[in-house]
Amino acid sequence: MRGFTNYIQYMTEDVQTTGHLTHLSDLVLSGNHESAFAHVDATTKRFNNSVTKGHDLSLKADGGMSVIVGRDRAGDHFVSYKSGKERHYRHDSIAKTGKQHMIDTLSPLLSGASKMKSLKPGTAFQADVLHTPEHSDSTHTPNTISYKTSHPGKLSIAVHGQFAVAGDSITRTSNVPDLSQLKGEGVHTPNLHVHKKMNLSLSDDRHHDINQHMRDARRSMGSEGTAEFAQSLPQNKKFSAMMQAYSNHSARTDGKVSVDGLRTFMKGHVEKRKVSDGLKAKELDSHTSLINDNENHFTNMLSAHNSLTSVTNEVTNALRNNASNFSLTPKANKHYSEHEGLVSSLEGHTPVKFVRRGEQGFSRANKASGEERFGSTP
């Protein structure tokens, strides 16, 4: 076992991990609405079989453990948990962790890595494990979504990033991984990329609705002073963290945000903070004043957020209608019945995810699934 000193590094803003991707609509919370608009434009064009330069679109798979598989510059194969904190080159190193879930996942991955003859030295890939070779059922459920098992008896991984390995660090180089390097006996890597030959479709009615939601979002963020105010909010770290928590909460409840809803959520959020009562009161007063003094801007921002959520849901509806284009096939279970969503990467912009929000959304289903497997969560 060897440790990383710098862990995972990223080359540019537009090449990032998919571990905690930003919801499209959340870009407005930091005044990044123009990036949101650019992602929508490129993604809808892709559904009409037009490719925007610098744009990549891929399926967001709902995998299990997030892992790294690679080969260092000396040519030795290694695997790691998603944090990249420790590289494992040998099975006994994995066993020494004493964690059964690590042993059950990383050991088969290391065996699979040794058979990837085309994996270039100094290259690594980040992936989510779909199932290990021991799996033989007709379906598999790595997390919340169930999928049809197309390659039973093989290690199946959903790959979503490529890295360069240099010493103890690995640096992300691409959002479109070269899957040919991962070919090997007993290894299956479904292609998640929306490639040029894939024939997607977007109905005229859906395109019309998306355009209407976009006009609404542009009008909201175009109100005098709103964009500038939104861009200033990240400087208030505590308030921004509360706003993000509110958005996350809405994603797994009704999917809508409002100033009144923000005020209500804010009180509970501050109350849960592990600080003194005096600091809680001070923080609550500060948040309340910020909202009261800028209510018009918050109304505009949250209206744009709702409009972009509607766009997201329209895009995921279109994905559902185009699901047969992908080799990874979802199978309905009691929690969810469709793909999780899409990942949009656009040169010069923060990558985003188009994932359904609200009562029929993935976050709500994922929370229910997690509570069933692991017990109640906050």
Side-chain angles (χ1 to χ4, degrees):
M1 176 181 71
R2 302 180 197 173
F4 286 75
T5 56
N6 296 318
Y7 305 165
I8 299 175
Q9 298 179 1
Y10 304 99
M11 293 183 66
T12 61
E13 183 185 39
D14 54 292
V15 182
Q16 295 184 359
T17 180
T18 59
H20 297 284
L21 280 165
T22 302
H23 278 279
L24 173 77
S25 54
D26 284 346
L27 288 180
V28 305
L29 303 182
S30 58
N32 251 339
H33 50 285
E34 291 296 342
S35 284
F37 300 160
H39 277 291
V40 173
D41 182 62
T43 299
T44 53
K45 283 182 178 178
R46 185 64 195 84
F47 269 91
N48 287 322
N49 298 305
S50 175
V51 179
T52 300
K53 183 179 179 180
H55 182 240
D56 294 305
L57 194 64
S58 60
L59 190 67
K60 192 173 191 308
D62 181 34
M65 183 184 290
S66 182
V67 297
I68 296 170
V69 56
R71 196 174 181 189
D72 64 21
R73 292 194 172 185
D76 296 323
H77 293 85
F78 68 88
V79 297
S80 173
Y81 184 56
K82 67 177 180 180
S83 67
K85 187 176 181 180
E86 297 173 341
R87 292 183 193 175
H88 298 280
Y89 289 81
R90 297 169 53 89
H91 291 283
D92 58 359
S93 168
I94 299 171
K96 286 180 181 178
T97 66
K99 299 176 180 178
Q100 195 61 45
H101 68 287
M102 298 277 279
I103 297 170
D104 292 345
T105 303
L106 293 184
S107 278
L109 182 64
L110 184 59
S111 296
S114 67
K115 299 173 184 176
M116 298 173 183
K117 304 304 181 184
S118 298
L119 182 52
K120 299 176 182 178
T123 307
F125 295 84
Q126 192 173 44
D128 294 334
V129 176
L130 297 174
H131 63 74
T132 56
E134 289 71 27
H135 188 85
S136 59
D137 293 345
S138 60
T139 62
H140 57 283
T141 309
N143 183 43
T144 293
I145 298 174
S146 295
Y147 297 102
K148 178 182 177 181
T149 304
S150 58
H151 291 73
K154 289 188 175 184
L155 170 70
S156 184
I157 56 175
V159 185
H160 47 71
Q162 185 169 333
F163 295 76
V165 181
D168 291 336
S169 298
I170 62 174
T171 304
R172 192 172 185 115
T173 57
S174 177
N175 293 310
V176 185
D178 177 11
L179 298 182
S180 67
Q181 294 192 49
L182 300 175
K183 289 183 178 179
E185 182 183 352
V187 179
H188 172 236
T189 54
N191 188 355
L192 308 179
H193 183 57
V194 179
H195 51 79
K196 294 181 180 180
K197 294 183 179 180
M198 190 176 287
N199 187 27
L200 300 179
S201 63
L202 187 68
S203 70
D204 290 342
D205 287 345
R206 185 153 288 137
H207 196 270
H208 174 272
D209 290 344
I210 288 174
N211 284 340
Q212 182 58 60
H213 295 314
M214 288 297 292
R215 283 192 291 270
D216 292 342
R218 290 182 186 278
R219 183 170 57 252
S220 295
M221 294 306 295
S223 297
E224 184 177 357
T226 294
E228 293 78 6
F229 175 75
Q231 290 164 2
S232 72
L233 272 182
Q235 299 174 27
N236 189 329
K237 294 183 179 180
K238 289 181 180 178
F239 190 90
S240 291
M242 184 273 294
M243 281 276 285
Q244 186 59 62
Y246 174 51
S247 177
N248 295 343
H249 171 76
S250 78
R252 57 181 181 265
T253 51
D254 64 0
K256 300 181 184 302
V257 291
S258 67
V259 174
D260 287 343
L262 176 62
R263 286 191 174 108
T264 299
F265 178 85
M266 172 186 67
K267 295 174 183 177
H269 177 82
V270 172
E271 182 58 35
K272 292 177 182 177
R273 295 256 294 143
K274 295 181 179 180
V275 296
S276 68
D277 290 344
L279 286 176
K280 288 180 182 178
K282 184 178 179 179
E283 187 173 318
L284 187 60
D285 285 344
S286 175
H287 290 351
T288 299
S289 295
L290 183 61
I291 294 174
N292 291 344
D293 293 344
N294 300 278
E295 185 163 352
N296 183 57
H297 293 322
F298 281 110
T299 297
N300 291 331
M301 289 172 59
L302 297 179
S303 293
H305 193 286
N306 287 331
S307 295
L308 289 172
T309 291
S310 295
V311 170
T312 292
N313 292 343
E314 290 291 352
V315 169
T316 54
N317 286 339
L319 171 62
R320 182 171 56 199
N321 294 339
N322 288 269
S324 60
N325 281 283
F326 299 94
S327 60
L328 192 62
T329 305
K331 300 289 287 185
N333 61 31
K334 68 179 182 178
H335 293 297
Y336 218 58
S337 61
E338 60 188 71
H339 281 302
E340 180 179 349
L342 293 167
V343 176
S344 174
S345 301
L346 184 60
E347 186 175 350
H349 299 273
T350 301
V352 298
K353 59 184 176 184
F354 289 83
V355 174
R356 192 184 302 279
R357 295 165 63 94
E359 294 179 356
Q360 304 301 316
F362 176 76
S363 292
R364 186 183 184 94
N366 195 43
K367 183 174 186 294
S369 174
E371 288 176 346
E372 182 177 279
R373 288 176 292 158
F374 309 116
S376 180
T377 57

